[in-house]
Amino acid sequence: GDVTTTIFEVVTALDAISLYCCQVPCSSISVTMVSLMVFFLVGLAGVTIRPEDVPCRTFEEIYPSGKELCENMWDDAFVYETNLSMAFTMWFFEAENPNNKVAERLGWPPVDDCHLEYFHKEAPGPEPDNFTECHPWKDYSCCHQATVSSVRKIKEAYGNEWQWDRCGPLSPACERFFVQEACLYECEPNAETS
């Protein structure tokens, strides 16, 4: 739609310290949206390209700031927001999802269906007690427990070319960033409305 989603209190912190993943040993981030677009475009042209043929680059080389990460990694789906009351969070510990209040402030209607394709539910709802990897969304989620049951399951869900560690092992903090980003994408009902 015409409404551009705002995102993540974490991006403000990312901007202040360059990028979160680059502050921890995360020297060659595996898959970037730029690399993925190369795969997609080459696939449309009928040329075969392997993930190992796309050069690995660091986050800092691709996204010099948190703002650029926010506004470019997800193909203009989000805008950088410094007003935290208007920005989605990628992770939370509150009993109620704080992104609901942000969506309300943005004038969005309450979410009662999930709009993304692939592994998403038709409508958000609760998940079982073993829903632990993306636990903030246990009570109201657009993802199924089976989709996000483990880091490995999340990482491998979309195939080799989408795996975040294809260029080598990541630091635990960097891998956690990718897990949190995947949980937001897979599970957050409000992200589905933009």
Side-chain angles (χ1 to χ4, degrees):
D2 291 341
V3 179
T4 305
T5 310
T6 56
I7 191 173
F8 316 140
E9 62 202 25
V10 74
V11 172
T12 301
L14 289 175
D15 199 40
I17 61 170
S18 181
L19 290 173
Y20 175 72
C21 275
C22 293
Q23 294 301 320
V24 293
C26 197
S27 59
S28 56
I29 299 301
S30 59
V31 176
T32 67
M33 293 309 287
V34 173
S35 298
L36 297 175
M37 289 306 295
V38 169
F39 288 121
F40 178 72
L41 294 173
V42 169
L44 286 177
V47 177
T48 303
I49 189 167
R50 300 170 309 183
E52 56 271 15
D53 293 334
V54 177
C56 296
R57 298 186 298 163
T58 66
F59 254 36
E60 194 169 43
E61 291 174 293
I62 300 163
Y63 310 112
S65 72
K67 182 179 189 303
E68 289 182 8
L69 176 132
C70 176
E71 293 183 347
N72 297 317
M73 185 176 201
W74 298 278
D75 296 327
D76 298 320
F78 299 105
V79 295
Y80 182 77
E81 179 60 65
T82 58
N83 178 350
L84 296 184
S85 70
M86 298 299 284
F88 284 151
T89 183
M90 187 159 93
W91 202 256
F92 57 93
F93 296 98
E94 298 90 342
E96 184 180 331
N97 183 340
N99 295 330
N100 295 338
K101 293 288 186 195
V102 172
E104 186 179 308
R105 283 186 213 101
L106 291 170
W108 295 357
V111 177
D112 58 3
D113 58 351
C114 301
H115 298 282
L116 294 176
E117 297 177 18
Y118 308 110
F119 306 116
H120 300 89
K121 299 178 187 179
E122 289 187 28
E127 285 297 307
D129 287 339
N130 65 344
F131 188 79
T132 56
E133 199 59 55
C134 296
H135 62 84
W137 291 274
K138 180 187 176 301
D139 294 331
Y140 199 68
S141 173
C142 277
C143 64
H144 297 280
Q145 195 307 45
T147 305
V148 296
S149 61
S150 68
V151 171
R152 182 177 180 173
K153 182 81 171 179
I154 294 168
K155 181 179 76 170
E156 295 176 354
Y158 293 94
N160 289 340
E161 66 274 15
W162 293 84
Q163 292 184 25
W164 56 70
D165 64 349
R166 74 170 182 85
C167 292
L170 305 180
S171 70
C174 193
E175 183 165 71
R176 197 77 216 141
F177 169 84
F178 281 101
V179 170
Q180 290 175 352
E181 182 277 325
C183 288
L184 176 79
Y185 173 76
E186 297 294 341
C187 304
E188 174 60 53
N190 294 295
E192 312 272 333
T193 62
S194 59

